[in-house]
């Protein structure tokens, strides 16, 4: 119903800045135990969970299941309950602070500057407006692992403009310290509606009446990275007049150069891998994504 959030009436809904979780020891103990059982039961089914992100969007009261926490209360839960329990029972499982959807570095500092809690935190996950905080976080905590945890899902257009925008997000996150970029909605039907009832983009669209499959522009964007940049690759810093370039070195020594052209004109570019190498020249089509792979 339009007047409810999380099946709650307006009087019962949460608000940003006010923790919804009951901050009492018995509940906090039980919730930490829930995380332990979650990991163990998946393992019993043959699925290894290597990490948990403690709360999705802790500042957002959504119409889907959510729970608002202040950074201070999440710090208490991780530092005094979840962290000590995992250290004893599941020391191999990583704890990530996130997913952070606000641009305020203070929310990160509350946890990462706590001498107790920070020992339990292996990384920080960001999405949506959290992208505004990640440059400062990467600068302030250079040794902390960072992850992009949910691509912005668009409005169901599944067009080239959406792909270009997602490219801009990928570039922003990778250039500011993340080692993972996650898309949102692998497959949707022809309505483009998620389970929560609004139209979103997807990599693939399947028409449930005809069975026709559309591979949307963002599918090919993600394929450029997913099929060429291998696990363990290292990002290479680039410079020069042409800025829409991302470069990586794979574990086998191959160099992968992703080049975007978001203009309406062909772009002639010249790549120089090092001072002793011959330049590589290429003409990049208008409105295109391209990958060059230079073998070792």
């Amino acid at each position: 119903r339009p007047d409810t959030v999380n099946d709650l009436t307006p009087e019962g809904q949460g608000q940003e800045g006010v923790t919804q979780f009951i901050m009492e020891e018995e509940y906090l103990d039980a919730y930490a135990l829930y995380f332990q059982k979650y990991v163990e039961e998946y393992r019993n089914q043959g699925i290894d969970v290597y990490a948990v992100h403690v709360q999705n969007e802790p500042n957002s009261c959504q119409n889907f299941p959510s729970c608002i926490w202040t950074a201070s209360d999440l710090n208490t839960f991780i530092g005094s309950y979840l962290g000590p329990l995992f250290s004893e029972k599941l020391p191999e499982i990583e704890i990530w602070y996130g997913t952070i959807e606000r641009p305020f570095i203070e929310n990160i500092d509350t946890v990462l500057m706590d001498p107790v809690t920070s020992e339990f935190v292996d990384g920080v996950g960001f999405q949506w407006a959290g992208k505004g905080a990640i440059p400062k976080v990467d600068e302030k905590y250079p040794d902390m692992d960072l992850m992009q945890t949910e691509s912005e899902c668009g409005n169901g257009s599944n067009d080239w403009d959406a792909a270009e925008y997602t490219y801009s997000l990928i570039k922003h996150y990778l250039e500011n310290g993340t080692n993972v970029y996650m898309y949102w909605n692998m497959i949707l039907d022809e309505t483009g509606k998620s389970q929560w009832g609004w139209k979103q983009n997807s990599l693939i669209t399947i028409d449930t009446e005809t069975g026709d499959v559309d591979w949307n522009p963002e599918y090919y964007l993600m394929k450029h990275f997913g099929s060429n940049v291998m696990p363990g690759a290292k990002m290479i810093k680039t410079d020069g007049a042409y800025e829409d370039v991302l470069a990586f070195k794979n574990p086998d020594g191959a160099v992968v150069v992703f080049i975007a052209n978001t203009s309406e004109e062909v772009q002639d570019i010249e790549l120089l891998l090092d001072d002793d190498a011959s330049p590589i020249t290429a003409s990049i089509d208008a409105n295109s994504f391209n990958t060059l792979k230079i073998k070792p």
Side-chain angles (χ1 to χ4, degrees), residues 47-77:
I47 301 171
D48 288 328
V49 175
Y50 83 91
V52 295
H53 291 247
V54 179
Q55 177 63 53
N56 177 62
E57 299 188 350
N59 302 285
S60 301
C61 186
Q62 308 283 18
N63 69 325
F64 45 80
S66 58
C67 183
I68 295 174
W69 297 71
T70 63
S72 177
D73 284 339
L74 266 177
N75 183 62
T76 297
F77 175 60

PDB file of all heavy atoms in Angstrom, residues 47-77:
ATOM      1  N   ILE A  47      27.534 -23.997   0.632  1.00  0.00           N
ATOM      2  CA  ILE A  47      27.756 -22.633   0.144  1.00  0.00           C
ATOM      3  C   ILE A  47      28.639 -21.911   1.154  1.00  0.00           C
ATOM      4  O   ILE A  47      28.232 -21.687   2.303  1.00  0.00           O
ATOM      5  CB  ILE A  47      26.423 -21.879  -0.029  1.00  0.00           C
ATOM      6  CG1 ILE A  47      25.526 -22.625  -1.020  1.00  0.00           C
ATOM      7  CG2 ILE A  47      26.676 -20.443  -0.493  1.00  0.00           C
ATOM      8  CD1 ILE A  47      24.121 -22.079  -1.102  1.00  0.00           C
ATOM      9  N   ASP A  48      29.830 -21.553   0.735  1.00  0.00           N
ATOM     10  CA  ASP A  48      30.771 -20.881   1.632  1.00  0.00           C
ATOM     11  C   ASP A  48      30.594 -19.376   1.565  1.00  0.00           C
ATOM     12  O   ASP A  48      30.821 -18.765   0.515  1.00  0.00           O
ATOM     13  CB  ASP A  48      32.214 -21.254   1.283  1.00  0.00           C
ATOM     14  CG  ASP A  48      32.554 -22.684   1.669  1.00  0.00           C
ATOM     15  OD1 ASP A  48      31.996 -23.165   2.665  1.00  0.00           O
ATOM     16  OD2 ASP A  48      33.366 -23.318   0.969  1.00  0.00           O
ATOM     17  N   VAL A  49      30.168 -18.776   2.649  1.00  0.00           N
ATOM     18  CA  VAL A  49      30.085 -17.325   2.782  1.00  0.00           C
ATOM     19  C   VAL A  49      31.428 -16.838   3.322  1.00  0.00           C
ATOM     20  O   VAL A  49      31.872 -17.304   4.370  1.00  0.00           O
ATOM     21  CB  VAL A  49      28.941 -16.924   3.735  1.00  0.00           C
ATOM     22  CG1 VAL A  49      28.935 -15.429   3.976  1.00  0.00           C
ATOM     23  CG2 VAL A  49      27.594 -17.388   3.172  1.00  0.00           C
ATOM     24  N   TYR A  50      32.073 -15.931   2.599  1.00  0.00           N
ATOM     25  CA  TYR A  50      33.390 -15.493   3.064  1.00  0.00           C
ATOM     26  C   TYR A  50      33.320 -14.184   3.845  1.00  0.00           C
ATOM     27  O   TYR A  50      34.266 -13.815   4.548  1.00  0.00           O
ATOM     28  CB  TYR A  50      34.369 -15.352   1.892  1.00  0.00           C
ATOM     29  CG  TYR A  50      34.284 -14.054   1.133  1.00  0.00           C
ATOM     30  CD1 TYR A  50      35.066 -12.953   1.501  1.00  0.00           C
ATOM     31  CD2 TYR A  50      33.422 -13.912   0.048  1.00  0.00           C
ATOM     32  CE1 TYR A  50      34.992 -11.756   0.801  1.00  0.00           C
ATOM     33  CE2 TYR A  50      33.349 -12.726  -0.646  1.00  0.00           C
ATOM     34  CZ  TYR A  50      34.132 -11.651  -0.273  1.00  0.00           C
ATOM     35  OH  TYR A  50      34.044 -10.470  -0.953  1.00  0.00           O
ATOM     36  N   ALA A  51      32.194 -13.458   3.725  1.00  0.00           N
ATOM     37  CA  ALA A  51      32.091 -12.162   4.396  1.00  0.00           C
ATOM     38  C   ALA A  51      30.628 -11.800   4.603  1.00  0.00           C
ATOM     39  O   ALA A  51      29.747 -12.274   3.880  1.00  0.00           O
ATOM     40  CB  ALA A  51      32.775 -11.068   3.566  1.00  0.00           C
ATOM     41  N   VAL A  52      30.386 -10.954   5.599  1.00  0.00           N
ATOM     42  CA  VAL A  52      29.056 -10.379   5.808  1.00  0.00           C
ATOM     43  C   VAL A  52      29.168  -8.867   5.826  1.00  0.00           C
ATOM     44  O   VAL A  52      30.144  -8.307   6.334  1.00  0.00           O
ATOM     45  CB  VAL A  52      28.407 -10.872   7.127  1.00  0.00           C
ATOM     46  CG1 VAL A  52      28.139 -12.365   7.073  1.00  0.00           C
ATOM     47  CG2 VAL A  52      29.259 -10.514   8.347  1.00  0.00           C
ATOM     48  N   HIS A  53      28.190  -8.214   5.193  1.00  0.00           N
ATOM     49  CA  HIS A  53      28.025  -6.764   5.322  1.00  0.00           C
ATOM     50  C   HIS A  53      26.892  -6.568   6.319  1.00  0.00           C
ATOM     51  O   HIS A  53      25.779  -7.060   6.125  1.00  0.00           O
ATOM     52  CB  HIS A  53      27.685  -6.149   3.961  1.00  0.00           C
ATOM     53  CG  HIS A  53      28.818  -6.184   2.994  1.00  0.00           C
ATOM     54  ND1 HIS A  53      29.455  -5.041   2.546  1.00  0.00           N
ATOM     55  CD2 HIS A  53      29.449  -7.213   2.387  1.00  0.00           C
ATOM     56  CE1 HIS A  53      30.418  -5.378   1.702  1.00  0.00           C
ATOM     57  NE2 HIS A  53      30.429  -6.691   1.593  1.00  0.00           N
ATOM     58  N   VAL A  54      27.165  -5.853   7.389  1.00  0.00           N
ATOM     59  CA  VAL A  54      26.316  -5.918   8.571  1.00  0.00           C
ATOM     60  C   VAL A  54      24.908  -5.390   8.317  1.00  0.00           C
ATOM     61  O   VAL A  54      23.929  -5.963   8.800  1.00  0.00           O
ATOM     62  CB  VAL A  54      26.984  -5.173   9.742  1.00  0.00           C
ATOM     63  CG1 VAL A  54      26.112  -5.216  10.985  1.00  0.00           C
ATOM     64  CG2 VAL A  54      28.348  -5.786  10.035  1.00  0.00           C
ATOM     65  N   GLN A  55      24.761  -4.299   7.565  1.00  0.00           N
ATOM     66  CA  GLN A  55      23.429  -3.742   7.331  1.00  0.00           C
ATOM     67  C   GLN A  55      23.375  -3.059   5.977  1.00  0.00           C
ATOM     68  O   GLN A  55      24.201  -2.207   5.673  1.00  0.00           O
ATOM     69  CB  GLN A  55      23.053  -2.730   8.424  1.00  0.00           C
ATOM     70  CG  GLN A  55      21.715  -2.055   8.217  1.00  0.00           C
ATOM     71  CD  GLN A  55      20.548  -3.035   8.242  1.00  0.00           C
ATOM     72  OE1 GLN A  55      20.421  -3.795   9.188  1.00  0.00           O
ATOM     73  NE2 GLN A  55      19.704  -3.009   7.235  1.00  0.00           N
ATOM     74  N   ASN A  56      22.389  -3.427   5.180  1.00  0.00           N
ATOM     75  CA  ASN A  56      22.161  -2.740   3.918  1.00  0.00           C
ATOM     76  C   ASN A  56      21.557  -1.362   4.190  1.00  0.00           C
ATOM     77  O   ASN A  56      20.544  -1.247   4.872  1.00  0.00           O
ATOM     78  CB  ASN A  56      21.205  -3.552   3.047  1.00  0.00           C
ATOM     79  CG  ASN A  56      20.869  -2.841   1.749  1.00  0.00           C
ATOM     80  OD1 ASN A  56      21.740  -2.578   0.935  1.00  0.00           O
ATOM     81  ND2 ASN A  56      19.602  -2.514   1.568  1.00  0.00           N
ATOM     82  N   GLU A  57      22.209  -0.330   3.656  1.00  0.00           N
ATOM     83  CA  GLU A  57      21.697   1.045   3.724  1.00  0.00           C
ATOM     84  C   GLU A  57      21.141   1.387   5.115  1.00  0.00           C
ATOM     85  O   GLU A  57      19.939   1.569   5.293  1.00  0.00           O
ATOM     86  CB  GLU A  57      20.644   1.258   2.641  1.00  0.00           C
ATOM     87  CG  GLU A  57      21.214   1.061   1.248  1.00  0.00           C
ATOM     88  CD  GLU A  57      20.258   1.448   0.138  1.00  0.00           C
ATOM     89  OE1 GLU A  57      19.071   1.704   0.415  1.00  0.00           O
ATOM     90  OE2 GLU A  57      20.711   1.499  -1.027  1.00  0.00           O
ATOM     91  N   PRO A  58      22.015   1.510   6.100  1.00  0.00           N
ATOM     92  CA  PRO A  58      21.557   1.713   7.484  1.00  0.00           C
ATOM     93  C   PRO A  58      20.896   3.062   7.742  1.00  0.00           C
ATOM     94  O   PRO A  58      20.354   3.269   8.841  1.00  0.00           O
ATOM     95  CB  PRO A  58      22.849   1.580   8.299  1.00  0.00           C
ATOM     96  CG  PRO A  58      23.940   1.953   7.345  1.00  0.00           C
ATOM     97  CD  PRO A  58      23.492   1.434   6.011  1.00  0.00           C
ATOM     98  N   ASN A  59      20.922   3.958   6.758  1.00  0.00           N
ATOM     99  CA  ASN A  59      20.291   5.268   6.946  1.00  0.00           C
ATOM    100  C   ASN A  59      18.935   5.377   6.254  1.00  0.00           C
ATOM    101  O   ASN A  59      18.286   6.418   6.356  1.00  0.00           O
ATOM    102  CB  ASN A  59      21.201   6.368   6.402  1.00  0.00           C
ATOM    103  CG  ASN A  59      22.558   6.374   7.061  1.00  0.00           C
ATOM    104  OD1 ASN A  59      22.698   6.802   8.191  1.00  0.00           O
ATOM    105  ND2 ASN A  59      23.559   5.876   6.364  1.00  0.00           N
ATOM    106  N   SER A  60      18.509   4.325   5.559  1.00  0.00           N
ATOM    107  CA  SER A  60      17.345   4.448   4.681  1.00  0.00           C
ATOM    108  C   SER A  60      16.183   3.585   5.161  1.00  0.00           C
ATOM    109  O   SER A  60      16.322   2.371   5.296  1.00  0.00           O
ATOM    110  CB  SER A  60      17.725   4.023   3.250  1.00  0.00           C
ATOM    111  OG  SER A  60      18.775   4.828   2.762  1.00  0.00           O
ATOM    112  N   CYS A  61      15.055   4.236   5.359  1.00  0.00           N
ATOM    113  CA  CYS A  61      13.825   3.520   5.701  1.00  0.00           C
ATOM    114  C   CYS A  61      13.073   3.252   4.397  1.00  0.00           C
ATOM    115  O   CYS A  61      12.502   4.165   3.805  1.00  0.00           O
ATOM    116  CB  CYS A  61      12.973   4.339   6.662  1.00  0.00           C
ATOM    117  SG  CYS A  61      11.519   3.450   7.253  1.00  0.00           S
ATOM    118  N   GLN A  62      13.100   2.009   3.936  1.00  0.00           N
ATOM    119  CA  GLN A  62      12.590   1.658   2.616  1.00  0.00           C
ATOM    120  C   GLN A  62      11.251   0.928   2.723  1.00  0.00           C
ATOM    121  O   GLN A  62      10.849   0.492   3.800  1.00  0.00           O
ATOM    122  CB  GLN A  62      13.601   0.755   1.902  1.00  0.00           C
ATOM    123  CG  GLN A  62      15.003   1.311   1.861  1.00  0.00           C
ATOM    124  CD  GLN A  62      15.195   2.406   0.824  1.00  0.00           C
ATOM    125  OE1 GLN A  62      14.240   2.998   0.345  1.00  0.00           O
ATOM    126  NE2 GLN A  62      16.431   2.693   0.480  1.00  0.00           N
ATOM    127  N   ASN A  63      10.618   0.735   1.555  1.00  0.00           N
ATOM    128  CA  ASN A  63       9.398  -0.058   1.563  1.00  0.00           C
ATOM    129  C   ASN A  63       9.700  -1.553   1.550  1.00  0.00           C
ATOM    130  O   ASN A  63       8.816  -2.374   1.728  1.00  0.00           O
ATOM    131  CB  ASN A  63       8.503   0.303   0.374  1.00  0.00           C
ATOM    132  CG  ASN A  63       9.102  -0.134  -0.946  1.00  0.00           C
ATOM    133  OD1 ASN A  63      10.305  -0.097  -1.119  1.00  0.00           O
ATOM    134  ND2 ASN A  63       8.265  -0.534  -1.883  1.00  0.00           N
ATOM    135  N   PHE A  64      10.979  -1.917   1.313  1.00  0.00           N
ATOM    136  CA  PHE A  64      11.396  -3.299   1.467  1.00  0.00           C
ATOM    137  C   PHE A  64      12.084  -3.450   2.820  1.00  0.00           C
ATOM    138  O   PHE A  64      12.393  -2.457   3.481  1.00  0.00           O
ATOM    139  CB  PHE A  64      12.320  -3.722   0.321  1.00  0.00           C
ATOM    140  CG  PHE A  64      13.391  -2.723  -0.019  1.00  0.00           C
ATOM    141  CD1 PHE A  64      14.546  -2.630   0.734  1.00  0.00           C
ATOM    142  CD2 PHE A  64      13.230  -1.868  -1.098  1.00  0.00           C
ATOM    143  CE1 PHE A  64      15.536  -1.714   0.423  1.00  0.00           C
ATOM    144  CE2 PHE A  64      14.219  -0.957  -1.427  1.00  0.00           C
ATOM    145  CZ  PHE A  64      15.367  -0.880  -0.659  1.00  0.00           C
ATOM    146  N   PRO A  65      12.307  -4.691   3.278  1.00  0.00           N
ATOM    147  CA  PRO A  65      12.864  -4.886   4.627  1.00  0.00           C
ATOM    148  C   PRO A  65      14.139  -4.089   4.852  1.00  0.00           C
ATOM    149  O   PRO A  65      15.088  -4.176   4.073  1.00  0.00           O
ATOM    150  CB  PRO A  65      13.120  -6.394   4.666  1.00  0.00           C
ATOM    151  CG  PRO A  65      12.085  -6.963   3.755  1.00  0.00           C
ATOM    152  CD  PRO A  65      11.958  -5.971   2.630  1.00  0.00           C
ATOM    153  N   SER A  66      14.160  -3.313   5.900  1.00  0.00           N
ATOM    154  CA  SER A  66      15.301  -2.460   6.204  1.00  0.00           C
ATOM    155  C   SER A  66      15.337  -2.197   7.696  1.00  0.00           C
ATOM    156  O   SER A  66      14.393  -2.497   8.425  1.00  0.00           O
ATOM    157  CB  SER A  66      15.205  -1.128   5.429  1.00  0.00           C
ATOM    158  OG  SER A  66      14.012  -0.462   5.743  1.00  0.00           O
ATOM    159  N   CYS A  67      16.444  -1.647   8.148  1.00  0.00           N
ATOM    160  CA  CYS A  67      16.582  -1.299   9.569  1.00  0.00           C
ATOM    161  C   CYS A  67      17.579  -0.160   9.684  1.00  0.00           C
ATOM    162  O   CYS A  67      18.713  -0.272   9.221  1.00  0.00           O
ATOM    163  CB  CYS A  67      17.063  -2.499  10.384  1.00  0.00           C
ATOM    164  SG  CYS A  67      17.165  -2.179  12.166  1.00  0.00           S
ATOM    165  N   ILE A  68      17.150   0.923  10.277  1.00  0.00           N
ATOM    166  CA  ILE A  68      18.019   2.088  10.434  1.00  0.00           C
ATOM    167  C   ILE A  68      18.884   1.926  11.686  1.00  0.00           C
ATOM    168  O   ILE A  68      18.397   1.539  12.755  1.00  0.00           O
ATOM    169  CB  ILE A  68      17.188   3.379  10.524  1.00  0.00           C
ATOM    170  CG1 ILE A  68      16.467   3.618   9.191  1.00  0.00           C
ATOM    171  CG2 ILE A  68      18.068   4.581  10.862  1.00  0.00           C
ATOM    172  CD1 ILE A  68      15.515   4.773   9.208  1.00  0.00           C
ATOM    173  N   TRP A  69      20.163   2.206  11.511  1.00  0.00           N
ATOM    174  CA  TRP A  69      21.121   2.244  12.618  1.00  0.00           C
ATOM    175  C   TRP A  69      21.905   3.554  12.517  1.00  0.00           C
ATOM    176  O   TRP A  69      22.306   3.960  11.426  1.00  0.00           O
ATOM    177  CB  TRP A  69      22.142   1.120  12.517  1.00  0.00           C
ATOM    178  CG  TRP A  69      21.678  -0.288  12.606  1.00  0.00           C
ATOM    179  CD1 TRP A  69      20.970  -0.981  11.678  1.00  0.00           C
ATOM    180  CD2 TRP A  69      21.951  -1.202  13.671  1.00  0.00           C
ATOM    181  NE1 TRP A  69      20.779  -2.268  12.093  1.00  0.00           N
ATOM    182  CE2 TRP A  69      21.375  -2.435  13.307  1.00  0.00           C
ATOM    183  CE3 TRP A  69      22.633  -1.108  14.893  1.00  0.00           C
ATOM    184  CZ2 TRP A  69      21.449  -3.571  14.126  1.00  0.00           C
ATOM    185  CZ3 TRP A  69      22.714  -2.234  15.694  1.00  0.00           C
ATOM    186  CH2 TRP A  69      22.126  -3.445  15.325  1.00  0.00           C
ATOM    187  N   THR A  70      22.184   4.172  13.630  1.00  0.00           N
ATOM    188  CA  THR A  70      23.186   5.231  13.627  1.00  0.00           C
ATOM    189  C   THR A  70      24.560   4.582  13.546  1.00  0.00           C
ATOM    190  O   THR A  70      24.736   3.398  13.890  1.00  0.00           O
ATOM    191  CB  THR A  70      23.113   6.086  14.895  1.00  0.00           C
ATOM    192  OG1 THR A  70      23.417   5.259  16.041  1.00  0.00           O
ATOM    193  CG2 THR A  70      21.733   6.714  15.058  1.00  0.00           C
ATOM    194  N   ALA A  71      25.550   5.332  13.089  1.00  0.00           N
ATOM    195  CA  ALA A  71      26.908   4.802  13.015  1.00  0.00           C
ATOM    196  C   ALA A  71      27.401   4.403  14.406  1.00  0.00           C
ATOM    197  O   ALA A  71      28.100   3.392  14.562  1.00  0.00           O
ATOM    198  CB  ALA A  71      27.837   5.842  12.399  1.00  0.00           C
ATOM    199  N   SER A  72      27.009   5.160  15.414  1.00  0.00           N
ATOM    200  CA  SER A  72      27.431   4.854  16.780  1.00  0.00           C
ATOM    201  C   SER A  72      26.884   3.519  17.251  1.00  0.00           C
ATOM    202  O   SER A  72      27.598   2.711  17.875  1.00  0.00           O
ATOM    203  CB  SER A  72      26.972   5.974  17.727  1.00  0.00           C
ATOM    204  OG  SER A  72      27.305   5.673  19.069  1.00  0.00           O
ATOM    205  N   ASP A  73      25.625   3.237  16.942  1.00  0.00           N
ATOM    206  CA  ASP A  73      25.035   1.976  17.388  1.00  0.00           C
ATOM    207  C   ASP A  73      25.557   0.792  16.576  1.00  0.00           C
ATOM    208  O   ASP A  73      25.735  -0.311  17.118  1.00  0.00           O
ATOM    209  CB  ASP A  73      23.513   2.053  17.321  1.00  0.00           C
ATOM    210  CG  ASP A  73      22.926   2.878  18.460  1.00  0.00           C
ATOM    211  OD1 ASP A  73      23.621   3.046  19.480  1.00  0.00           O
ATOM    212  OD2 ASP A  73      21.788   3.363  18.334  1.00  0.00           O
ATOM    213  N   LEU A  74      25.799   0.986  15.279  1.00  0.00           N
ATOM    214  CA  LEU A  74      26.435  -0.081  14.509  1.00  0.00           C
ATOM    215  C   LEU A  74      27.842  -0.362  15.033  1.00  0.00           C
ATOM    216  O   LEU A  74      28.288  -1.507  15.082  1.00  0.00           O
ATOM    217  CB  LEU A  74      26.502   0.308  13.033  1.00  0.00           C
ATOM    218  CG  LEU A  74      25.361  -0.168  12.137  1.00  0.00           C
ATOM    219  CD1 LEU A  74      25.539   0.360  10.718  1.00  0.00           C
ATOM    220  CD2 LEU A  74      25.238  -1.676  12.130  1.00  0.00           C
ATOM    221  N   ASN A  75      28.529   0.688  15.441  1.00  0.00           N
ATOM    222  CA  ASN A  75      29.850   0.528  16.030  1.00  0.00           C
ATOM    223  C   ASN A  75      29.774  -0.333  17.291  1.00  0.00           C
ATOM    224  O   ASN A  75      30.603  -1.219  17.504  1.00  0.00           O
ATOM    225  CB  ASN A  75      30.430   1.905  16.360  1.00  0.00           C
ATOM    226  CG  ASN A  75      31.832   1.831  16.918  1.00  0.00           C
ATOM    227  OD1 ASN A  75      32.746   1.370  16.242  1.00  0.00           O
ATOM    228  ND2 ASN A  75      32.007   2.275  18.152  1.00  0.00           N
ATOM    229  N   THR A  76      28.757  -0.083  18.108  1.00  0.00           N
ATOM    230  CA  THR A  76      28.572  -0.884  19.321  1.00  0.00           C
ATOM    231  C   THR A  76      28.303  -2.344  18.970  1.00  0.00           C
ATOM    232  O   THR A  76      28.889  -3.262  19.569  1.00  0.00           O
ATOM    233  CB  THR A  76      27.404  -0.330  20.151  1.00  0.00           C
ATOM    234  OG1 THR A  76      27.718   0.992  20.586  1.00  0.00           O
ATOM    235  CG2 THR A  76      27.110  -1.207  21.360  1.00  0.00           C
ATOM    236  N   PHE A  77      27.416  -2.577  18.003  1.00  0.00           N
ATOM    237  CA  PHE A  77      27.079  -3.945  17.644  1.00  0.00           C
ATOM    238  C   PHE A  77      28.293  -4.700  17.102  1.00  0.00           C
ATOM    239  O   PHE A  77      28.565  -5.841  17.492  1.00  0.00           O
ATOM    240  CB  PHE A  77      25.950  -3.953  16.613  1.00  0.00           C
ATOM    241  CG  PHE A  77      25.615  -5.326  16.096  1.00  0.00           C
ATOM    242  CD1 PHE A  77      25.179  -6.328  16.959  1.00  0.00           C
ATOM    243  CD2 PHE A  77      25.757  -5.625  14.750  1.00  0.00           C
ATOM    244  CE1 PHE A  77      24.891  -7.608  16.491  1.00  0.00           C
ATOM    245  CE2 PHE A  77      25.464  -6.896  14.273  1.00  0.00           C
ATOM    246  CZ  PHE A  77      25.028  -7.888  15.143  1.00  0.00           C
TER     247      PHE A  77
END
